Structure formats: structure tokens, C-alpha cells
Amino acid sequence: FYDAAHRRIYSTGLEGVIHCYRQLDPDHYELTAKLPVKPHAGSSLLIPRLNRFVVAVAEHGKDAPAIWVYETLP
């Protein structure tokens, strides 16, 4: 997801990590954060007007499924 207000890209995948990239210019980005989540937490949604990034965390072992909500900061 591209967050135009903060010039960032947020991505999730099945490896259990949120990647955050900062846009330096239209053609260049740098990785600014790798946040651990649970394995198979690949579904996510950016809600720009609320400054929220929401991640669906799948059931894993004895851990119940959950929705994790992150605040996107400037």
C-alpha cells in the first residue's frame, strides 16, 4: 500500500514481517523498518485518513487469529 501523505509503502507477506519503505523520490525508495508479526499474516489494509495500517494475523499453533492495528506516524 502507498501512503501518499507520509510518502511510504507498507507491505506484508506470509513470512511474518511488515516492510516499510520511505520514498526518496519518484524512482527511489529505502527500507526504513521491518516489523515482526506472526507467520501467515499476509492480509493487510492501509486506512490513510485514520493513519492506520491493519494486519490480519492467522491462527498459528495455539495462537488465536487476530487483527493487529498499527498507527502510521509522520
Side-chain angles (χ1 to χ4, degrees):
F1 295 94
Y2 181 67
D3 181 351
H6 299 115
R7 298 180 62 198
R8 293 193 194 118
I9 293 176
Y10 301 96
S11 68
T12 54
L14 297 179
E15 70 278 358
V17 178
I18 297 170
H19 292 91
C20 179
Y21 299 89
R22 180 173 62 106
Q23 184 180 30
L24 303 173
D25 62 47
D27 298 317
H28 298 93
Y29 298 83
E30 73 175 348
L31 180 65
T32 57
K34 288 175 69 174
L35 304 170
V37 290
K38 304 275 181 164
H40 305 291
S43 297
S44 56
L45 176 67
L46 177 66
I47 308 170
R49 67 179 176 195
L50 298 178
N51 288 326
R52 298 294 186 265
F53 185 66
V54 180
V55 179
V57 179
E59 180 178 1
H60 185 73
K62 294 182 180 181
D63 295 332
I67 301 293
W68 291 9
V69 180
Y70 296 85
E71 183 177 3
T72 58
L73 299 174

